[in-house]
C-alpha cells in the first residue's frame, strides 16, 4: 500500500465535516491522490434545486483539474453509513473514468475499514474519451451517409414509419 493511503483515508473522513447537505443529511467526504503526490479534497454540496448538487468525488476531481492535475493514483471516499462501504454514484463513476480506469477507489466505513476497487472494476463498460474516436455510421449531421433520415426507416413489423 502506498504510504499516503492511510492519510488519504483520514482526510476523506475529515471532509465530511465540511459538507453542505441540509436536504439529504447524507455527508460524504473525498480525498484524491494525484500521481505526483498532490492531494485534493472534496465534500458533497447540495442545492435546493437537487440536480445542481455536486458529489464529494466530483468536487475533488474538479478542484484537481482546475489546478492542472489530471493523472490520479487513488481516491478515498467516506460517509456515515455504519454497516456499508460508501460507493460512488453512477455520475461520479463516469467522471472518474474520464481520467482512466486503472486507478484505485477506496470505499470506506466510518471506522476507516475499506474496500478497494479500480475505477474499471466499478464501471466496467465505461464511455471513455476513446469512445468519441470510434468509427461512426453517419456523417455527424444526423443523416445516414446513404441519405436516409433515421426516422424514415420503415418498421419491418407493420410496414409503417416509427413514431416520434
Amino acid at each position: 500500500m502506498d504510504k499516503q493511503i492511510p492519510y488519504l483515508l483520514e482526510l476523506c473522513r475529515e471532509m465530511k465535516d465540511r459538507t453542505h447537505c441540509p436536504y439529504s443529511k447524507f455527508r460524504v467526504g473525498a480525498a484524491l491522490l494525484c500521481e505526483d503526490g498532490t492531494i485534493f479534497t472534496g465534500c458533497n454540496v447540495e442545492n435546493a434545486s437537487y440536480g445542481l448538487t455536486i458529489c464529494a468525488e466530483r468536487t475533488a476531481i474538479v478542484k484537481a483539474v482546475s489546478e492542472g492535475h489530471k493523472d490520479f493514483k487513488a481516491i478515498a471516499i467516506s460517509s456515515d453509513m455504519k454497516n456499508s462501504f460508501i460507493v460512488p454514484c453512477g455520475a461520479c463513476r463516469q467522471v472518474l473514468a474520464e481520467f482512466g480506469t486503472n486507478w484505485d477507489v477506496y470505499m470506506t466505513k466510518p471506522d476507516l475499514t475499506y474496500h478497494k476497487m479500480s475505477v474499471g472494476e466499478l464501471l466496467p463498460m465505461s464511455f471513455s474519451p476513446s469512445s468519441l474516436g470510434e468509427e461512426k455510421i453517419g456523417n455527424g449531421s444526423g443523416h445516414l451517409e446513404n441519405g436516409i433520415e433515421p426516422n424514415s426507416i420503415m418498421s419491418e413489423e407493420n410496414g409503417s414509419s416509427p413514431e416520434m
Side-chain angles (χ1 to χ4, degrees), residues 15-20 28-30 41-45 54-57 59-60:
M15 287 307 298
K16 293 185 304 183
D17 292 335
R18 297 190 181 177
T19 62
H20 176 73
V28 181
T41 57
C43 61
N44 56 318
V45 180
I54 186 167
C55 299
E57 301 92 310
T59 300

Side-chain angles (χ1 to χ4, degrees), residues 31-156:
L32 176 68
L33 176 61
C34 300
E35 282 290 344
D36 70 357
T38 305
I39 295 175
F40 290 91
T41 57
C43 61
N44 56 318
V45 180
E46 293 181 350
N47 191 285
S49 176
Y50 296 142
L52 300 180
T53 294
I54 186 167
C55 299
E57 301 92 310
R58 287 184 280 154
T59 300
I61 292 275
V62 168
K63 286 170 66 176
V65 171
S66 70
E67 295 295 326
H69 296 268
K70 295 182 184 176
D71 298 315
F72 307 123
K73 186 182 281 188
I75 189 167
I77 56 177
S78 180
S79 78
D80 294 322
M81 293 189 304
K82 181 178 180 178
N83 297 314
S84 299
F85 295 106
I86 181 69
V87 297
C89 72
C92 286
R93 292 176 194 210
Q94 183 62 51
V95 170
L96 296 175
E98 175 72 14
F99 300 95
T101 56
N102 194 25
W103 54 289
D104 295 324
V105 180
Y106 290 83
M107 298 161 284
T108 72
K109 291 182 184 177
D111 64 3
L112 293 184
T113 57
Y114 63 86
H115 181 71
K116 179 179 88 166
M117 294 179 76
S118 71
V119 173
E121 290 171 321
L122 283 170
L123 191 62
M125 296 180 70
S126 64
F127 185 83
S128 69
S130 65
S131 302
L132 296 172
E134 293 282 329
E135 183 178 358
K136 297 167 186 66
I137 61 168
N139 61 12
S141 67
H143 303 282
L144 296 179
E145 290 178 354
N146 63 6
I148 298 174
E149 295 282 339
N151 291 330
S152 68
I153 299 171
M154 300 294 278
S155 167
E156 290 181 20

